[in-house]
């Protein structure tokens, strides 16, 4: 004790604060205390420049945030903006290493510290940073000035090349410093930061190996890149400490001493078997804190703490395995901006969790961020909520060469190094379109160099026939594989406002009604909620029927584009995209609940899901179809206690009850299994007349922070006397805001989409608004009024945040808890075998027999085709052994748009006669069970183009993928098969 007091006395004499004595690394929140000027201004980089009249802001902050959802993506404002910050380092900061870490800016920034140029960042995507040790004034005020240019056509200074991903279709341009910033102080013997392009350093790398999932153990490895910038050689020991989610230390282990010469860089590593682990999983964001320490003579001189999780991932047999269980990929292709009205992407961390966890609550397990890497806040959020990520780097819609390919490799390198400790990332995506085999090898080499042990597959969209790709999959149609997993990169693009229930409810939107888009029919982009949800069911079911357990070649799932309505590429009547299963304020549409029913299970859907589409408030005399989504085998409908019978089942999960006559009261749906045992029920009740306005707060679970950046979400409803939401209410709400807060508002159909307006209508009886804190703590009152309704008042209160000299020890994600609701990966198998593929050993055909094997080679970019004559339009498959054939499945050329009349024979006996059905890929012929060793597929007559020509064409006129273009299939006797599969039942 005397020795400890003596040390403290000595430290106080030499003036080193205790925080530095105990831990020589300090990281500060650098978001507070910035000033903003929109426009270019001479001399703003100089320390002497007067910025007192500039706008005071807290980062993250996009200078054109007011335009988010107000303007279409291509009209978002661009130009020059300046950000400046005054700050002072804590006492005792001299002789330290000092780094700035930016999670990203848009598009390009030029950075000046105390009037001196310190660097430039240009790609508009990735994190970057600067070593400012030589530029800092340790005991004085420092001034950081940043000049941002967010021009769409910004060109890299060194190469005069633009960036492929700066694209007006998908990459919403929220300009400025729109992401978080941190400042790091370390000693001169330190673990580096993972900011490769700027600092040429890789940071730490933590991973698990030698998994025993049932035994709950693995070997945990921690590696750190260490720099010795002292003047002497240092003998360093590397210590690793692991704490569980409750903060309990579960393991501490060390490496051997390593001598690091002055000026040298070294890799330090320690590993140990750790027992009692909770493995990270879907909906189970279990995270550990791994602290790596550098010790010299037994004293800690640097420590880095990393939140991470451990999971085992494998990609084989056409399937994804997580913790030794097969997981069918189900989720959303979400715009990386993940934006909100009047805010853009720059939301607080809790709101990222709120949005991303809603995906998990819809039973999604995967988010495929589109085109560019998400910011670190969203990546860490997915760790917490248990949502798997497919992480792109930078791309538009095609492979590129030269400088633009080099740019893509550079961003992928930075993204891998920066994010390789985040367990939720399972896929590295190298392109939104296929890339060449050579380019795939280059990207794979980057992964193998910087993340060889992370358990992540690397691939791209398509990549069906490139062996080096470890996963792939097209969009808008189905792929299957027996080797690498193939999942659809986006499979449903239809749009519809949440406001539009159906044609029988105010505002009475007939499905598909709306203007042309660029002169083309856009009816599929102007749906109402009924048909939008039904379309989601139809599209998903085609993937579901090809799930793991249905044969050797399977679909590994797919992602629906998009999750939340987006300020990006739109095709409908509004100036923003409405493909979301939730709207821009994250209020669910019926499609959200459709997915919740269909996706509840790792592979096979749990039978207990059920949802009634729509509401039950109509005019007397209304007759309409009632739709029930259920995972059971049968569904029954009751109206005010009277059974209306069982629904007509279609598309796996949809039950239709036709022409139900409306009666006020309650409508109830009940699902059953094949034995008539009740599985689930749900109901809708008629709401009464609107009586009052209701307000509900949704806010940071750790409290509303007075930091100038935190947001509260306020839900407004129109309710009846019993407090039930009135589902057809469209009342205009007038808001008042009092107290230290800033109104950011919501969104609705109307002038400028009501962005920033304090007058906002409910849609379907509900809406939401955003309120931003200021840097003054206090009480906030929100008042909502509507003509003829009782008003509502809601009180909020912000808590103070400690900021000293522009620095804070409080971070946006502090205190946010992980979502553990789904629990660990299941111990039992996640699917049942429903059919078994019969091996084909050879094939002969009426023409081009030498290429007959291409029709069963597990390559969907190859096919067999005859010569266009009807007498040669047959192919015969030889089976490995005599088997009872129950099904023959075909992927034919023209699968989307053509109908083929076919005859199928087993050992010469006819077992099927009929037409193929246009689909997203596969047609299954249900055969009369027949035992044999050969299967012959024969064309009976001319194939016909489907009457629905729209099925194969985009709204912009672009033809959708429909197989391999073959002139022979245009002939009367043309037959072409991409893949044939033969099944027997188990």
């Amino acid at each position: 004790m005397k020795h400890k007091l003596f040390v403290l006395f000595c430290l106080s004499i030499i003036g080193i604060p205790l925080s530095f004595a105990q831990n020589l690394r300090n990281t500060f929140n650098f978001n507070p205390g910035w000033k903003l000027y929109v426009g270019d201004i001479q001399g703003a980089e100089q320390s002497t420049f007067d910025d007192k009249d500039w706008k005071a802001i807290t980062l993250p902050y996009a200078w054109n945030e007011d335009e988010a959802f107000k303007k279409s993506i291509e009209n978002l404002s661009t130009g020059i903006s300046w950000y400046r910050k005054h700050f002072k380092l804590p006492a005792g900061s001299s002789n330290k290493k000092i780094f700035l870490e930016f999670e990203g800016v848009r598009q390009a920034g030029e950075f000046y510290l105390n009037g001196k140029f310190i660097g430039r960042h240009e790609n508009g995507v990735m994190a970057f940073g600067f070593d400012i040790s030589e530029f800092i004034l340790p005991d004085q005020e420092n001034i950081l000035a940043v000049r941002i240019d967010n021009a769409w056509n910004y060109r890299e200074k060194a190469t005069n090349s633009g960036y492929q991903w700066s694209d007006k279709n998908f990459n919403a341009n929220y300009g400025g410093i729109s992401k978080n910033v941190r400042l790091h102080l370390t000693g001169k013997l330190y673990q580096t930061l993972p900011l490769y392009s700027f600092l040429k350093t890789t940071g730490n790398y933590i991973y698990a190996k030698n998994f025993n999932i049932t035994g709950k153990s693995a070997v945990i490895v921690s590696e750190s890149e260490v720099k010795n910038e002292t003047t002497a050689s240092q003998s360093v020991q590397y210590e690793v400490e692991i704490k569980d989610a409750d903060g309990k230390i579960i393991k501490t282990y060390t490496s051997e001493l390593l001598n690091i010469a002055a000026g040298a860089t070294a890799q330090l590593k320690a590993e140990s078997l750790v027992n009692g682990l909770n493995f990270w999983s879907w909906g189970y964001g279990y995270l550990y804190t791994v602290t790596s320490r550098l010790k010299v003579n037994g004293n800690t001189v640097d420590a880095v703490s990393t939140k991470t999780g451990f999971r085992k991932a494998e990609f084989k047999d056409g399937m994804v395995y997580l913790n030794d269980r097969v997981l069918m990929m189900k989720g959303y292709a979400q715009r990386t901006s993940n934006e909100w009205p009047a805010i853009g992407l720059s939301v607080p961390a809790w709101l990222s969790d709120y949005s991303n966890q809603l995906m998990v609550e819809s039973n999604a397990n995967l988010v495929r961020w589109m085109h560019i890497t998400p910011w670190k806040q969203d990546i860490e959020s997915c760790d917490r909520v248990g949502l798997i990520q497919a992480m792109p780097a930078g791309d538009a819609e095609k492979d590129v060469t030269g400088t633009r390919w080099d740019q893509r490799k550079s961003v992928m390198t930075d993204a891998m190094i920066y994010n390789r400790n985040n367990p939720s990332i399972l896929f590295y995506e190298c392109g939104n379109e296929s890339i060449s085999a050579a380019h795939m090898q280059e990207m794979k080499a980057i992964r193998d160099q910087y993340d060889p042990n992370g358990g992540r597959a690397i691939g791209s969209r398509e990549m069906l026939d490139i062996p080096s790709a470890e996963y792939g999959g097209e969009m808008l149609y189905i792929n299957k594989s027996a080797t690498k997993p193939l999942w659809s990169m986006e499979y449903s693009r239809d749009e519809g406002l949440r406001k539009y229930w159906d044609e029988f409810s105010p505002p009475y939107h007939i499905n598909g009604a709306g203007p042309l888009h660029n002169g083309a029919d856009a009816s599929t982009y102007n749906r109402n909620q009924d048909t939008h949800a039904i379309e989601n069911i139809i599209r998903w079911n085609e993937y579901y029927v090809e799930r793991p357990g249905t044969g050797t070649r399977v679909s590994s799932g797919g992602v629906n584009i998009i999750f939340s309505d987006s300020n990006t590429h739109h095709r409908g009547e509004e100036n923003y995209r409405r493909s979301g299963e939730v709207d821009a304020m994250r209020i669910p549409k019926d499609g959200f609940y459709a997915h919740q029913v269909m996706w509840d299970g790792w592979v096979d859907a749990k039978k207990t899901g059920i949802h009634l589409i729509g509401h039950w408030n109509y005019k007397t005399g209304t007759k309409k179809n009632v739709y029930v989504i259920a995972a059971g085998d049968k569904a029954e409908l009751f109206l005010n206690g009277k059974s209306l019978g069982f629904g007509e089942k279609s598309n796996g999960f949809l039950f239709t009850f036709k022409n139900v006559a409306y009666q006020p009261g309650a409508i109830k749906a009940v699902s059953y299994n094949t034995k008539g045992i009740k599985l689930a029920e749900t109901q809708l009740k008629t709401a009464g007349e609107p009586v009052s306005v209701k307000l509900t707060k949704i806010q940071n679970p750790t409290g509303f922070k007075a930091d100038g950046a935190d947001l509260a979400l306020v839900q407004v409803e129109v309710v009846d006397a019993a407090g039930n939401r009135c589902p057809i209410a469209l009342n205009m709400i007038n808001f008042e805001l009092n107290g230290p807060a800033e109104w950011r508002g919501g969104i609705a159909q109307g002038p400028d989409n009501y962005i920033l307006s304090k007058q906002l209508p409910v849609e379907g009886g509900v809406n939401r608004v955003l309120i931003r804190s200021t840097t003054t703590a206090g009480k906030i009152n929100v008042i909502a009024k509507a003509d003829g309704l009782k008003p509502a008042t809601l009180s909020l209160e912000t808590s103070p945040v400690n900021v000293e000299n522009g620095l804070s020890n409080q971070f946006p994600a502090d205190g946010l808890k992980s979502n553990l609701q789904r629990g660990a990966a299941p111990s039992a198998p996640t699917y049942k075998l429903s059919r078994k593929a019969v091996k084909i050993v050879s094939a002969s055909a009426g023409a081009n027999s030498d290429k007959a094997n291409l029709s069963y080679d597990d390559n969907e970019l190859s096919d067999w085709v005859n010569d266009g004559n009807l007498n040669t339009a047959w192919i015969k498959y030889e089976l490995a052994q005599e088997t009872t054939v129950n099904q023959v499945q075909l992927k034919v050329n023209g699968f989307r748009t053509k109908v083929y009349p076919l005859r199928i024979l087993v050992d010469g006996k006819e077992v099927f006669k009929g037409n193929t059905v246009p689909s997203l890929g596969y047609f299954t012929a249900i055969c009369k069970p027949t035992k044999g060793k050969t299967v012959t597929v024969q064309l009976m007559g001319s194939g016909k183009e489907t009457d629905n020509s729209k099925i194969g064409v985009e709204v912009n006129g672009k033809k959708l993928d429909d197989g391999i273009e073959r002139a022979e299939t245009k002939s009367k006797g043309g037959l072409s098969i991409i893949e044939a599969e033969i099944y027997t039942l188990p």
Side-chain angles (χ1 to χ4, degrees):
M1 182 64 182
K2 289 181 179 180
H3 175 72
K4 185 174 182 180
L5 289 173
F6 176 74
V7 171
L8 294 176
F9 172 74
C10 293
L11 291 174
S12 67
I13 291 176
I14 62 176
I16 300 176
L18 294 182
S19 61
F20 286 110
Q22 294 166 354
N23 181 1
L24 295 182
R25 177 182 292 257
N26 279 260
T27 297
F28 296 98
N29 180 355
F30 208 61
N31 288 339
W34 287 78
K35 294 288 193 77
L36 169 68
Y37 178 87
V38 179
D40 208 356
I41 189 166
Q42 193 72 26
E45 75 278 9
Q46 298 300 323
S47 298
T48 55
F49 184 86
D50 184 0
D51 59 18
K52 69 177 185 298
D53 294 328
W54 286 18
K55 181 178 182 178
I57 60 167
T58 301
L59 299 182
Y61 188 93
W63 64 265
N64 58 352
E65 65 170 7
D66 290 0
E67 299 173 358
F69 286 89
K70 180 178 180 179
K71 292 185 177 182
S72 184
I73 181 173
E74 70 275 9
N75 296 321
L76 293 173
S77 293
T78 59
I80 305 300
S81 59
W82 280 90
Y83 289 69
R84 283 171 57 92
K85 181 179 174 69
H86 300 243
F87 67 100
K88 186 178 180 180
L89 297 184
S93 299
S94 58
N95 201 35
K96 288 190 175 295
K97 295 295 297 181
I98 305 164
F99 301 96
L100 283 174
E101 176 190 353
F102 289 79
E103 288 186 3
V105 303
R106 176 69 182 271
Q107 172 72 38
E110 295 175 342
F111 296 78
Y112 302 85
L113 183 60
N114 300 322
K116 296 179 181 178
F117 180 72
I118 61 172
R120 179 184 292 115
H121 172 78
E122 298 177 280
N123 66 43
V125 176
M126 264 312 297
F128 59 95
F130 306 99
D131 181 344
I132 59 172
S133 308
E134 302 303 316
F135 299 92
I136 206 79
L137 302 173
D139 300 314
Q140 303 176 41
E141 181 182 77
N142 293 271
I143 300 173
L144 180 67
V146 187
R147 182 181 185 270
I148 306 284
D149 183 352
N150 74 320
W152 286 108
N153 60 351
Y154 179 88
R155 290 183 173 272
E156 189 177 31
K157 301 298 183 186
T159 65
N160 197 36
S161 170
Y163 289 91
Q164 188 187 9
W165 49 84
S166 186
D167 190 293
K168 294 181 181 180
N169 280 321
F170 58 79
N171 193 359
N173 195 339
Y174 305 123
I177 308 178
S178 54
K179 302 175 185 178
N180 298 308
V181 189
R182 286 175 284 276
L183 182 140
H184 304 272
L185 285 80
T186 75
K188 292 197 172 182
L189 176 67
Y190 63 96
Q191 298 169 77
T192 65
L193 295 174
L195 300 173
Y196 185 73
S197 285
F198 277 72
L199 302 179
K200 301 302 177 187
T201 56
T202 57
N204 61 4
Y205 182 34
I206 302 163
Y207 56 91
K209 64 180 184 179
N210 301 343
F211 289 92
N212 182 340
I213 299 299
T214 56
K216 302 188 70 173
S217 71
V219 171
I220 307 301
V221 184
S222 179
E223 304 177 6
S224 284
E225 182 185 63
V226 177
K227 278 194 171 186
N228 178 13
E229 295 191 32
T230 70
T231 57
S233 176
Q234 301 287 341
S235 182
V236 183
Q237 188 172 49
Y238 186 63
E239 180 182 86
V240 178
E241 175 191 272
I242 303 176
K243 290 182 180 178
D244 66 14
D246 296 321
K248 178 184 176 183
I249 297 173
I250 62 169
K251 193 77 174 185
T252 303
Y253 49 97
T254 59
S255 69
E256 298 294 324
L257 286 171
L258 180 68
N259 194 63
I260 307 175
T265 300
Q267 290 285 339
L268 273 62
K269 176 180 177 181
E271 62 180 67
S272 177
L273 178 68
V274 180
N275 295 307
L277 288 173
N278 294 298
F279 294 111
W280 187 96
S281 184
W282 167 36
Y284 187 70
Y286 199 98
L287 299 177
Y288 291 86
T289 301
V290 179
T291 301
S292 52
R293 300 188 180 97
L294 305 183
K295 289 192 167 186
V296 177
N297 296 325
N299 298 314
T300 299
V301 298
D302 187 40
V304 174
S305 292
T306 304
K307 280 283 184 75
T308 189
F310 310 115
R311 81 288 181 276
K312 180 183 180 183
E314 297 176 284
F315 311 89
K316 61 184 182 180
D317 305 327
M319 296 180 286
V320 177
Y321 290 75
L322 179 62
N323 300 331
D324 290 340
R325 288 290 170 254
V326 175
L327 182 65
M328 189 179 187
M329 308 321 299
K330 299 170 283 190
Y332 304 99
Q334 176 76 337
R335 299 302 191 193
T336 299
S337 44
N338 206 15
E339 67 268 77
W340 292 71
I343 298 290
L345 66 87
S346 304
V347 298
W350 81 266
L351 202 52
S352 293
D353 281 12
Y354 179 79
S355 178
N356 295 331
Q357 185 161 329
L358 275 174
M359 293 194 221
V360 178
E361 289 177 9
S362 78
N363 285 320
N365 56 44
L366 171 66
V367 57
R368 178 200 173 224
W369 302 110
M370 299 189 69
H371 298 282
I372 60 171
T373 304
W375 64 321
K376 191 69 169 181
Q377 181 170 294
D378 261 327
I379 288 176
E380 292 176 338
S381 171
C382 289
D383 288 346
R384 288 190 293 271
V385 305
L387 182 61
I388 295 168
Q389 301 180 75
M391 187 200 81
D395 186 16
E397 291 287 349
K398 63 179 181 178
D399 203 358
V400 288
T401 57
T403 298
R404 287 194 167 191
W405 177 246
D406 292 338
Q407 290 170 340
R408 282 170 61 170
K409 286 197 298 179
S410 175
V411 171
M412 179 60 88
T413 302
D414 284 354
M416 285 186 184
I417 292 170
Y418 195 61
N419 300 315
R420 61 187 177 176
N421 293 327
N422 294 96
S424 53
I425 299 172
L426 255 64
F427 302 96
Y428 289 139
E429 180 179 300
C430 304
N432 192 60
E433 267 280 7
S434 61
I435 60 176
S436 69
H439 280 173
M440 187 69 249
Q441 288 285 11
E442 289 182 55
M443 287 292 197
K444 192 173 181 180
I446 295 170
R447 191 278 311 269
D448 291 347
Q449 180 176 357
Y450 294 110
D451 187 19
N453 303 301
R456 298 181 174 97
I458 188 162
S460 180
R461 203 179 104 197
E462 300 181 354
M463 312 309 285
L464 308 181
D465 63 342
I466 297 182
S468 56
E470 296 168 345
Y471 78 96
E474 247 299 356
M475 58 182 229
L476 303 176
Y477 73 90
I478 297 169
N479 306 121
K480 299 204 300 180
S481 173
T483 53
K484 63 188 173 194
L486 299 179
W487 48 269
S488 179
M489 301 296 173
E490 51 187 88
Y491 70 79
S492 183
R493 288 180 167 179
D494 296 16
E495 297 185 30
L497 279 175
R498 183 181 60 79
K499 177 179 181 178
Y500 296 149
W501 284 112
D502 53 42
E503 61 188 280
F504 307 101
S505 309
Y508 307 106
H509 182 81
I510 298 173
N511 182 55
L516 300 177
H517 179 76
N518 295 333
D521 174 37
S523 57
T524 57
Y525 300 98
N526 289 303
R527 291 190 178 278
N528 57 40
Q529 282 211 57
D530 274 15
T531 66
H532 196 185
I534 291 168
E535 184 66 15
N536 281 329
I537 297 165
I538 294 169
R539 294 282 73 84
W540 172 252
N541 186 58
E542 291 204 45
Y543 294 88
Y544 183 70
V545 297
E546 309 300 341
R547 66 192 179 276
T550 61
T552 304
R553 299 183 71 250
V554 295
S555 164
S556 203
V559 289
N560 186 340
I561 181 171
I562 51 182
F563 176 64
S564 58
D565 289 355
S566 170
N567 190 187
T568 59
H569 191 194
H570 63 90
R571 297 176 173 91
E573 63 179 325
E574 308 305 313
N575 68 350
Y576 63 94
R577 188 162 192 158
R578 296 128 328 114
S579 300
E581 271 50 67
V582 298
D583 71 7
M585 301 302 288
R586 276 52 173 185
I587 302 172
K589 306 176 188 178
D590 271 311
F592 176 94
Y593 301 106
H595 290 100
Q596 200 171 57
V597 170
M598 299 186 296
W599 288 352
D600 190 9
W602 276 53
V603 177
D604 293 344
K606 292 182 180 178
K607 292 289 188 179
T608 51
I610 192 168
H611 176 70
L612 260 166
I613 293 180
H615 63 91
W616 199 239
N617 275 68
Y618 291 97
K619 291 181 179 179
T620 301
T622 300
K623 286 187 176 183
K624 74 177 295 282
N625 290 351
V626 173
Y627 302 101
V628 175
I629 311 164
D633 301 297
K634 297 188 294 183
E636 187 176 12
L637 195 66
F638 295 85
L639 178 54
N640 294 328
K642 181 182 178 181
S643 175
L644 301 183
F646 291 88
E648 177 185 333
K649 186 175 184 179
S650 63
N651 299 291
F653 300 92
L654 183 64
F655 295 86
T656 302
F657 299 83
K658 293 183 178 179
N659 297 317
V660 176
Y662 170 72
Q663 294 176 17
I667 189 165
K668 181 172 72 172
V670 180
S671 66
Y672 307 89
N673 64 13
T674 54
K675 297 179 180 179
I677 297 173
K678 179 179 172 181
L679 298 170
E681 70 174 61
T682 188
Q683 70 175 4
L684 296 169
K685 289 184 176 181
T686 304
E689 291 298 312
V691 169
S692 61
V693 178
K694 177 183 178 183
L695 294 177
T696 307
K697 65 182 176 182
I698 305 168
Q699 66 177 33
N700 189 333
T702 67
F704 194 8
K705 303 295 191 296
D707 60 4
D710 201 4
L711 292 162
L713 194 58
V714 176
Q715 180 164 289
V716 57
E717 297 172 86
V718 171
V719 298
D720 65 11
N724 301 308
R725 183 187 299 173
C726 300
I728 57 173
L730 297 168
N731 301 66
M732 183 65 70
I733 310 296
N734 295 288
F735 291 93
E736 296 176 18
L737 177 66
N738 301 303
E742 179 189 3
W743 180 263
R744 299 312 297 170
I747 188 171
Q749 188 184 43
D752 292 331
N753 299 321
Y754 287 95
I755 299 303
L756 292 174
S757 175
K758 287 188 179 177
Q759 189 178 56
L760 187 81
V762 293
E763 296 179 336
V766 62
N767 214 326
R768 290 174 179 170
V769 296
L770 286 163
I771 295 167
R772 180 187 278 154
S773 69
T774 68
T775 53
T776 301
K779 188 174 181 180
I780 301 159
N781 286 322
V782 182
I783 303 169
K785 301 177 181 178
D787 291 345
L789 301 179
K790 182 181 178 181
T793 300
L794 178 71
S795 292
L796 303 165
E797 189 160 4
T798 55
S799 57
V801 173
N802 183 43
V803 179
E804 294 184 21
N805 297 314
L807 307 178
S808 176
N809 286 311
Q810 292 178 251
F811 291 85
D814 283 355
L816 296 180
K817 302 295 184 182
S818 286
N819 168 39
L820 304 175
Q821 292 179 358
R822 291 196 66 91
S827 57
T830 53
Y831 64 86
K832 292 182 180 178
L833 191 67
S834 61
R835 63 186 183 188
K836 183 178 179 182
V838 182
K839 186 177 180 180
I840 301 171
V841 294
S842 65
S844 56
N848 298 320
S849 194
D850 58 324
K851 295 183 178 179
N853 66 301
L854 299 181
S855 69
Y856 62 94
D857 62 351
D858 198 24
N859 178 0
E860 295 190 355
L861 295 183
S862 68
D863 69 325
W864 164 81
V865 62
N866 74 330
D867 57 10
N869 295 311
L870 188 59
N871 64 337
T872 64
W874 61 268
I875 187 167
K876 185 176 184 179
Y877 297 102
E878 183 82 18
L879 307 182
Q881 59 189 34
E882 189 176 58
T883 310
T884 299
V885 175
N886 295 89
Q887 299 176 11
V888 174
Q889 189 175 69
L890 301 172
K891 187 170 201 176
V892 294
N893 267 319
F895 56 80
R896 193 189 297 273
T897 59
K898 195 163 185 176
V899 174
Y900 291 89
L902 296 179
R903 182 170 176 248
I904 299 175
L905 305 97
V906 174
D907 284 357
K909 299 174 183 176
E910 184 176 282
V911 297
F912 173 86
K913 187 176 183 180
N915 294 331
T916 64
V917 177
S919 70
L920 294 184
Y922 285 87
F923 166 73
T924 300
I926 305 300
C927 303
K928 178 182 178 181
T930 304
K931 199 169 189 179
K933 201 174 180 183
T934 64
V935 175
T936 303
V937 178
Q938 179 182 353
L939 184 68
M940 294 190 298
S942 176
K944 296 180 180 180
E945 300 297 325
T946 179
D947 291 336
N948 184 7
S949 59
K950 296 176 187 177
I951 196 171
V953 181
E954 273 269 42
V955 68
N956 59 8
K958 179 182 176 182
K959 190 174 184 295
L960 297 172
D961 291 306
D962 197 22
I964 303 161
E965 190 71 28
R966 291 292 186 197
E968 292 86 350
T969 60
K970 304 297 182 184
S971 303
K972 183 177 181 180
L975 177 63
S976 178
I977 298 174
I978 298 169
E979 289 295 329
E981 298 167 63
I982 298 165
Y983 299 105
T984 187
L985 299 184

